[in-house]
Short mmCIF file of all heavy atoms in Angstrom, two decimals:
data_model
loop_
_atom_site.label_atom_id
_atom_site.label_comp_id
_atom_site.label_asym_id
_atom_site.label_seq_id
_atom_site.Cartn_x
_atom_site.Cartn_y
_atom_site.Cartn_z
N LEU A 464 -72.18 20.41 186.34
CA LEU A 464 -71.48 20.61 187.61
C LEU A 464 -72.35 20.17 188.78
O LEU A 464 -71.86 19.56 189.75
CB LEU A 464 -71.09 22.08 187.76
CG LEU A 464 -70.05 22.61 186.77
CD1 LEU A 464 -69.96 24.13 186.85
CD2 LEU A 464 -68.69 21.99 187.03
N LEU A 465 -73.65 20.44 188.69
CA LEU A 465 -74.59 20.05 189.74
C LEU A 465 -74.64 18.53 189.85
O LEU A 465 -74.64 17.97 190.95
CB LEU A 465 -75.97 20.61 189.41
CG LEU A 465 -76.94 20.90 190.54
CD1 LEU A 465 -76.39 21.98 191.46
CD2 LEU A 465 -78.28 21.36 189.96
N MET A 466 -74.67 17.85 188.70
CA MET A 466 -74.74 16.39 188.68
C MET A 466 -73.49 15.77 189.31
O MET A 466 -73.57 14.78 190.05
CB MET A 466 -74.90 15.90 187.23
CG MET A 466 -75.06 14.41 187.08
SD MET A 466 -75.24 13.91 185.35
CE MET A 466 -73.51 13.76 184.88
N ARG A 467 -72.35 16.36 189.04
CA ARG A 467 -71.08 15.83 189.56
C ARG A 467 -70.91 16.11 191.06
O ARG A 467 -70.07 15.50 191.71
CB ARG A 467 -69.90 16.44 188.80
CG ARG A 467 -69.73 15.89 187.40
CD ARG A 467 -68.88 16.81 186.54
NE ARG A 467 -67.60 17.19 187.13
CZ ARG A 467 -66.47 16.52 187.00
NH1 ARG A 467 -66.45 15.41 186.28
NH2 ARG A 467 -65.35 16.96 187.55
N GLY A 468 -71.70 17.07 191.59
CA GLY A 468 -71.54 17.47 192.98
C GLY A 468 -72.08 16.48 193.99
O GLY A 468 -71.66 16.48 195.15
N GLY A 469 -73.04 15.62 193.61
CA GLY A 469 -73.58 14.62 194.52
C GLY A 469 -74.40 15.18 195.66
O GLY A 469 -74.51 14.56 196.73
N ALA A 470 -75.04 16.34 195.45
CA ALA A 470 -75.84 16.97 196.52
C ALA A 470 -77.11 16.15 196.77
O ALA A 470 -77.64 15.50 195.87
CB ALA A 470 -76.20 18.39 196.13
N ASN A 471 -77.61 16.22 198.02
CA ASN A 471 -78.89 15.56 198.31
C ASN A 471 -80.02 16.57 198.53
O ASN A 471 -81.14 16.21 198.85
CB ASN A 471 -78.78 14.63 199.52
CG ASN A 471 -78.19 15.32 200.75
OD1 ASN A 471 -78.18 16.55 200.84
ND2 ASN A 471 -77.71 14.53 201.70
N PHE A 472 -79.72 17.86 198.34
CA PHE A 472 -80.74 18.92 198.40
C PHE A 472 -80.42 19.91 197.28
O PHE A 472 -79.42 20.63 197.34
CB PHE A 472 -80.71 19.60 199.77
CG PHE A 472 -81.70 20.73 199.94
CD1 PHE A 472 -82.94 20.72 199.31
CD2 PHE A 472 -81.39 21.82 200.76
CE1 PHE A 472 -83.84 21.76 199.48
CE2 PHE A 472 -82.29 22.86 200.94
CZ PHE A 472 -83.52 22.82 200.29
N LEU A 473 -81.27 19.94 196.27
CA LEU A 473 -81.06 20.81 195.12
C LEU A 473 -81.98 22.02 195.20
O LEU A 473 -83.20 21.86 195.39
CB LEU A 473 -81.35 20.06 193.81
CG LEU A 473 -80.45 18.87 193.50
CD1 LEU A 473 -80.85 18.25 192.15
CD2 LEU A 473 -78.98 19.28 193.47
N VAL A 474 -81.40 23.19 195.06
CA VAL A 474 -82.15 24.44 195.01
C VAL A 474 -81.93 25.03 193.62
O VAL A 474 -80.81 25.42 193.27
CB VAL A 474 -81.68 25.43 196.11
CG1 VAL A 474 -82.46 26.73 195.99
CG2 VAL A 474 -81.88 24.80 197.48
N LEU A 475 -82.99 25.07 192.83
CA LEU A 475 -82.90 25.47 191.43
C LEU A 475 -83.70 26.75 191.21
O LEU A 475 -84.91 26.76 191.40
CB LEU A 475 -83.46 24.35 190.52
CG LEU A 475 -82.97 22.93 190.80
CD1 LEU A 475 -83.68 21.93 189.89
CD2 LEU A 475 -81.47 22.84 190.63
N ASP A 476 -83.01 27.82 190.84
CA ASP A 476 -83.66 29.11 190.63
C ASP A 476 -83.83 29.32 189.11
O ASP A 476 -82.89 29.65 188.41
CB ASP A 476 -82.82 30.23 191.24
CG ASP A 476 -83.62 31.53 191.40
OD1 ASP A 476 -84.74 31.60 190.87
OD2 ASP A 476 -83.11 32.46 192.05
N GLU A 477 -85.05 29.11 188.65
CA GLU A 477 -85.41 29.21 187.22
C GLU A 477 -84.47 28.36 186.36
O GLU A 477 -83.78 28.87 185.47
CB GLU A 477 -85.43 30.67 186.77
CG GLU A 477 -86.46 31.50 187.52
CD GLU A 477 -86.78 32.82 186.84
OE1 GLU A 477 -86.65 32.90 185.60
OE2 GLU A 477 -87.17 33.76 187.55
N PRO A 478 -84.48 27.04 186.59
CA PRO A 478 -83.52 26.17 185.89
C PRO A 478 -83.82 26.00 184.41
O PRO A 478 -82.93 25.58 183.66
CB PRO A 478 -83.67 24.83 186.63
CG PRO A 478 -85.08 24.84 187.14
CD PRO A 478 -85.34 26.28 187.51
N THR A 479 -85.05 26.27 183.97
CA THR A 479 -85.39 26.04 182.56
C THR A 479 -85.05 27.23 181.66
O THR A 479 -85.18 27.12 180.44
CB THR A 479 -86.89 25.72 182.40
OG1 THR A 479 -87.67 26.84 182.84
CG2 THR A 479 -87.27 24.50 183.23
N ASN A 480 -84.60 28.35 182.26
CA ASN A 480 -84.24 29.51 181.43
C ASN A 480 -83.18 29.13 180.41
O ASN A 480 -82.15 28.55 180.75
CB ASN A 480 -83.70 30.65 182.31
CG ASN A 480 -84.81 31.45 182.95
OD1 ASN A 480 -85.99 31.24 182.68
ND2 ASN A 480 -84.46 32.36 183.83
N HIS A 481 -83.44 29.47 179.17
CA HIS A 481 -82.50 29.30 178.05
C HIS A 481 -82.33 27.85 177.59
O HIS A 481 -81.67 27.62 176.59
CB HIS A 481 -81.12 29.88 178.37
CG HIS A 481 -81.16 31.30 178.85
ND1 HIS A 481 -81.73 32.32 178.11
CD2 HIS A 481 -80.71 31.87 180.00
CE1 HIS A 481 -81.61 33.45 178.79
NE2 HIS A 481 -81.01 33.22 179.93
N LEU A 482 -82.89 26.87 178.31
CA LEU A 482 -82.77 25.48 177.87
C LEU A 482 -83.77 25.20 176.75
O LEU A 482 -84.91 25.65 176.79
CB LEU A 482 -83.05 24.51 179.03
CG LEU A 482 -81.97 24.38 180.11
CD1 LEU A 482 -82.43 23.36 181.14
CD2 LEU A 482 -80.63 23.98 179.53
N ASP A 483 -83.34 24.40 175.75
CA ASP A 483 -84.28 23.99 174.71
C ASP A 483 -85.27 22.97 175.29
O ASP A 483 -85.10 22.45 176.40
CB ASP A 483 -83.54 23.42 173.50
CG ASP A 483 -82.67 22.22 173.83
OD1 ASP A 483 -83.17 21.28 174.47
OD2 ASP A 483 -81.49 22.22 173.46
N ILE A 484 -86.34 22.69 174.54
CA ILE A 484 -87.42 21.86 175.06
C ILE A 484 -86.94 20.45 175.37
O ILE A 484 -87.31 19.86 176.39
CB ILE A 484 -88.61 21.85 174.08
CG1 ILE A 484 -89.25 23.25 174.03
CG2 ILE A 484 -89.65 20.82 174.48
CD1 ILE A 484 -90.32 23.43 172.97
N ASP A 485 -86.08 19.88 174.53
CA ASP A 485 -85.55 18.54 174.79
C ASP A 485 -84.79 18.50 176.11
O ASP A 485 -84.93 17.55 176.90
CB ASP A 485 -84.62 18.09 173.66
CG ASP A 485 -85.38 17.71 172.40
OD1 ASP A 485 -86.61 17.53 172.49
OD2 ASP A 485 -84.76 17.60 171.33
N SER A 486 -83.98 19.53 176.37
CA SER A 486 -83.21 19.57 177.61
C SER A 486 -84.11 19.78 178.82
O SER A 486 -83.86 19.21 179.90
CB SER A 486 -82.15 20.69 177.54
OG SER A 486 -81.21 20.43 176.52
N VAL A 487 -85.17 20.58 178.66
CA VAL A 487 -86.13 20.76 179.77
C VAL A 487 -86.80 19.44 180.10
O VAL A 487 -86.96 19.08 181.28
CB VAL A 487 -87.18 21.83 179.41
CG1 VAL A 487 -88.30 21.86 180.45
CG2 VAL A 487 -86.54 23.21 179.31
N GLU A 488 -87.20 18.68 179.08
CA GLU A 488 -87.84 17.39 179.32
C GLU A 488 -86.88 16.42 180.00
O GLU A 488 -87.28 15.63 180.86
CB GLU A 488 -88.37 16.82 178.01
CG GLU A 488 -89.56 17.61 177.47
CD GLU A 488 -90.02 17.14 176.10
OE1 GLU A 488 -89.27 16.36 175.45
OE2 GLU A 488 -91.11 17.55 175.66
N THR A 489 -85.60 16.48 179.62
CA THR A 489 -84.59 15.64 180.29
C THR A 489 -84.43 16.05 181.74
O THR A 489 -84.32 15.20 182.64
CB THR A 489 -83.23 15.76 179.56
OG1 THR A 489 -83.40 15.35 178.21
CG2 THR A 489 -82.18 14.89 180.22
N LEU A 490 -84.43 17.36 182.00
CA LEU A 490 -84.34 17.86 183.38
C LEU A 490 -85.55 17.39 184.20
O LEU A 490 -85.40 16.96 185.35
CB LEU A 490 -84.25 19.38 183.38
CG LEU A 490 -84.27 20.07 184.75
CD1 LEU A 490 -83.10 19.62 185.61
CD2 LEU A 490 -84.25 21.60 184.58
N GLU A 491 -86.73 17.47 183.60
CA GLU A 491 -87.94 17.01 184.30
C GLU A 491 -87.81 15.54 184.70
O GLU A 491 -88.11 15.15 185.84
CB GLU A 491 -89.16 17.21 183.40
CG GLU A 491 -89.53 18.67 183.19
CD GLU A 491 -90.54 18.86 182.06
OE1 GLU A 491 -90.83 17.90 181.33
OE2 GLU A 491 -91.03 20.00 181.91
N ALA A 492 -87.38 14.70 183.75
CA ALA A 492 -87.23 13.27 184.04
C ALA A 492 -86.17 13.04 185.11
O ALA A 492 -86.33 12.18 186.00
CB ALA A 492 -86.87 12.52 182.75
N ALA A 493 -85.06 13.81 185.06
CA ALA A 493 -84.00 13.64 186.05
C ALA A 493 -84.46 14.04 187.44
O ALA A 493 -84.13 13.36 188.43
CB ALA A 493 -82.78 14.47 185.64
N VAL A 494 -85.23 15.11 187.55
CA VAL A 494 -85.76 15.54 188.85
C VAL A 494 -86.74 14.50 189.39
O VAL A 494 -86.73 14.19 190.59
CB VAL A 494 -86.43 16.93 188.73
CG1 VAL A 494 -87.21 17.27 190.00
CG2 VAL A 494 -85.39 18.00 188.46
#
Side-chain angles (χ1 to χ4, degrees):
L464 294 169
L465 207 63
M466 183 180 86
R467 287 161 52 89
N471 53 19
F472 179 33
L473 297 181
V474 178
L475 312 176
D476 196 350
E477 299 196 27
T479 62
N480 279 354
H481 308 303
L482 287 181
D483 59 50
I484 293 173
D485 286 346
S486 296
V487 171
E488 290 174 348
T489 301
L490 175 61
E491 290 168 351
V494 169

